[in-house]
Amino acid sequence: MGGSARLLLLLPTRTYRTEDFIDAAHTLGVDLVCASEKPSTLEALAPDSLLTLDFADPDAAASSVAGWSKERPLAAVVGVDDVTAAAAAAIAARLGLRASAPSAVAAARDKFQMRQCLAAAGLRVPRFRRIALGENPVLAARGVEFPCVLKPLSLSASRGVIRANTTEQFVVAFKRITALLARDDVTVSGDAARYLLAEEYVPGLEVALEGLLIDGRLHVLALFDKPDPLEGPFFEETIYITPSRLPEVVQQAIRTTTAAACAALGLTEGPIHAELRVNDDGPWVLEIAARSIGGLCSRTLRFGTGMTLEEIILRHALGWPIDTLERQRPAAGVMMIPIPRGGTLKAVQGVEDAKATAHVEDVVISVHVGQEVVPLPEGWQYLGFIFARAAAPADVEDALRIAHSRLKFRIA
Amino acid sequence: MTEAATPDLKSRVQELIDTMINPAVAGHGGFVELLDVQDNRVYLTMGGGCQGCGAADVTLKAGIERLIKEEIPEVVEVLDTTDHSQGTNPYYTAGKS
């Protein structure tokens, strides 16, 4: 079945997702083509398998690929993060490949558009307001109720998300986000470079839902609890554990709400990653991204006899059969190791001890000694990832916390 | 039981690395070293800017492997044995988008 099927993977140079997607492509035996936003040093020598595309301009990327693929027909295109999902959708639309509509992916990418779509569909959303970065923040604060959350329109993984309880905190957060969006390592354009979103703070538990859309139907692949409280002022994601320990009736409400939100956005095909809050009012969709889970977190998931999430995503894009979407039974979890303070990483100790923790499968340190590390809300990295698997979610959570306590990061 | 490469096959891979691959990856401060060829599988390490680089897998699978297999069709796979966690100066580092 493999062999001749040519697959285009859109892989930003800074994504965590490269290894897992390339491994999946290798497992499937496809003819792999990789595109990045910056040229590979080998592109001139391997023009049939390496491309450079402007991911920030999906239409331009689609035009480039349309020309390139005349002599090299593509069977599928897959983006691995928010930016590349938009480019992949544009390419797929141009070439008639399987993906959600570009307009739907764009709506999911822009938190303001998303809020509008969800509200118009009658879904429960926090009160929200888009504010131009050029506005006077003191005056802008008069138009919101406290506590509120300020966030960029398009960054992911809680980057730039700040809670404000007072006008003073609002102004500080506003200026901080404005400065963040001007950083060299932030790539935003259009509205995302000119506005931020201020919205009502929604108290409650937070969960993440990983799903796959096939012909407009949502298949839930995993529901993750986030046991660490996310109450601000920053919203650092740490532990994800599946299966959820929430009552089945609540889980069903989360699934139903997420499916309705996908429909409201017009998403019909491919992976989605949703973040929701749950309180006495029910589930609130915080966001739905037209991509799979970020970082290395997908390594917690195995399906059927060991299929990875990336294999499922590639099989779906290729239109190949998928034996099962059933997650393997043991509970599993990941800790995204937070950055406690800014500075330069000088040393990491305790990795072997952490790996030796009962139920821990692996510990991956993803920054290198000598590297600058920046905490939230400006930060863009994790120190690494801890993975655990056990019979019960509580055992997974304990293992992750014990392993983390054994790691020592010297940052100066 | 593994079969060592004929001197000819290994030297052809080495020549390709010396004349085409390393001059290219040097553009990002990287280099590739050939460890061995066994059962028509090429084992190599990546150093400098390639070691720990977020795009190392792209370079390996869509670049180096593709090139070697095109030039030397009897090669079936190229395997990276690098400990990327020890990279101290990777050209690209992974992060959130």
Side-chain angles (χ1 to χ4, degrees), chain A residues 45-70:
Chain A
L45 296 170
D48 289 341
S49 56
L50 290 166
L51 277 175
T52 304
L53 296 174
D54 183 359
F55 295 144
D57 187 342
D59 290 334
S63 295
S64 293
V65 174
W68 180 92
S69 66
K70 280 180 184 164

Side-chain angles (χ1 to χ4, degrees), chain A residues 227-228 239 241 245 335 388 392-402:
Chain A
D228 283 338
I239 294 178
I241 295 175
R245 284 170 274 184
M335 175 184 274
D395 295 332
V396 172
E397 183 176 343
D398 288 345
L400 294 172
R401 294 193 192 283
I402 292 168

Side-chain angles (χ1 to χ4, degrees), chain A residues 14-366:
Chain A
R14 278 189 10 171
T15 183
Y16 286 106
R17 309 285 285 122
T18 298
E19 182 181 354
D20 293 333
F21 270 103
I22 286 184
D23 283 352
H26 184 251
T27 299
L28 297 181
V30 295
D31 183 359
L32 176 64
V33 182
C34 296
S36 296
E37 82 284 8
K38 293 177 183 168
S40 165
T41 52
L42 292 168
E43 185 171 328
L45 296 170
D48 289 341
S49 56
L50 290 166
L51 277 175
T52 304
L53 296 174
D54 183 359
F55 295 144
D57 187 342
D59 290 334
S63 295
S64 293
V65 174
W68 180 92
S69 66
K70 280 180 184 164
E71 303 294 322
R72 312 164 181 94
L74 286 165
V77 56
V78 172
V80 302
D81 67 357
D82 289 311
V83 176
T84 52
I91 293 166
R94 184 75 65 96
L95 300 181
L97 304 175
R98 196 176 199 185
S100 287
S103 59
V105 175
R109 170 96 174 114
D110 181 320
K111 293 183 173 67
F112 178 64
Q113 277 192 57
M114 187 188 330
R115 290 272 172 275
Q116 289 180 308
C117 285
L118 300 184
L123 287 162
R124 195 179 290 113
V125 295
R127 288 186 296 276
F128 62 98
R129 193 179 150 218
R130 190 174 69 167
I131 302 172
L133 297 177
E135 279 193 42
N136 180 328
V138 176
L139 298 178
R142 292 180 185 169
V144 302
E145 293 180 39
F146 295 107
C148 71
V149 177
L150 289 80
K151 54 179 68 170
L153 294 188
S154 68
L155 298 187
S156 61
S158 301
R159 196 176 186 196
V161 181
I162 306 173
R163 173 174 168 167
N165 298 325
T166 64
T167 297
E168 290 72 26
Q169 290 178 2
F170 180 99
V171 172
V172 170
F174 190 102
K175 290 179 178 175
R176 211 161 168 175
I177 293 171
T178 303
L180 168 62
L181 293 174
R183 283 174 64 117
D184 290 343
D185 56 73
V186 174
T187 306
V188 289
S189 58
D191 287 350
R194 294 195 295 272
Y195 296 94
L196 58 71
L197 191 72
E199 64 185 23
E200 171 191 10
Y201 170 75
V202 178
L205 300 169
E206 193 161 313
V207 297
L209 185 148
E210 198 69 13
L212 182 71
L213 289 160
I214 304 175
D215 296 329
R217 181 175 167 218
L218 177 66
H219 299 260
V220 176
L221 303 176
L223 181 60
F224 291 94
D225 288 340
K226 301 183 187 182
D228 283 338
L230 289 159
E231 297 170 347
F234 312 129
F235 296 85
E236 185 148 54
E237 299 199 283
T238 50
I239 294 178
Y240 274 41
I241 295 175
T242 191
S244 172
R245 284 170 274 184
L246 291 171
E248 177 52 32
V249 66
V250 177
Q251 294 189 38
Q252 183 55 44
I254 291 167
R255 291 191 285 265
T256 303
T257 301
T258 306
C262 291
L265 291 166
L267 295 170
T268 57
E269 296 288 352
I272 62 106
H273 178 78
E275 309 273 350
L276 300 95
R277 286 240 161 166
V278 183
N279 58 27
D280 290 344
D281 294 327
W284 301 63
V285 176
L286 295 184
E287 64 180 70
I288 293 189
R291 58 164 169 82
S292 54
I293 192 168
L296 301 180
C297 300
S298 70
R299 294 181 186 180
T300 57
L301 301 175
R302 288 290 182 274
F303 301 86
T305 54
M307 189 179 292
T308 65
L309 176 63
E310 291 76 18
E311 282 180 59
I312 285 176
I313 292 167
L314 299 189
R315 281 183 169 276
H316 168 264
L318 288 157
W320 290 4
I322 302 170
D323 288 342
T324 179
L325 296 174
E326 192 77 23
R327 193 184 65 78
Q328 289 185 344
R329 189 151 301 196
V334 58
M335 175 184 274
M336 292 157 263
I337 304 172
I339 296 172
R341 62 188 164 278
T344 301
L345 180 66
K346 299 292 187 184
V348 184
Q349 295 172 319
V351 174
E352 292 309 312
D353 283 348
K355 285 183 177 178
T357 306
H359 306 307
V360 166
E361 282 191 339
D362 199 9
V363 176
V364 176
I365 304 302
S366 51

Side-chain angles (χ1 to χ4, degrees), chain B residues 2 6-7 10 12-13 20 22 25 28 36 38 40 43 46 52 54 60 62 74 83 92 94:
Chain B
T2 57
T6 60
K10 192 170 178 182
R12 283 158 63 203
V13 174
M20 298 180 79
N22 271 339
V25 298
H28 284 181
D36 206 351
Q38 290 185 355
N40 289 1
Y43 294 83
M46 303 173 82
L60 182 78
E74 55 264 50
D83 181 354
Y92 295 121

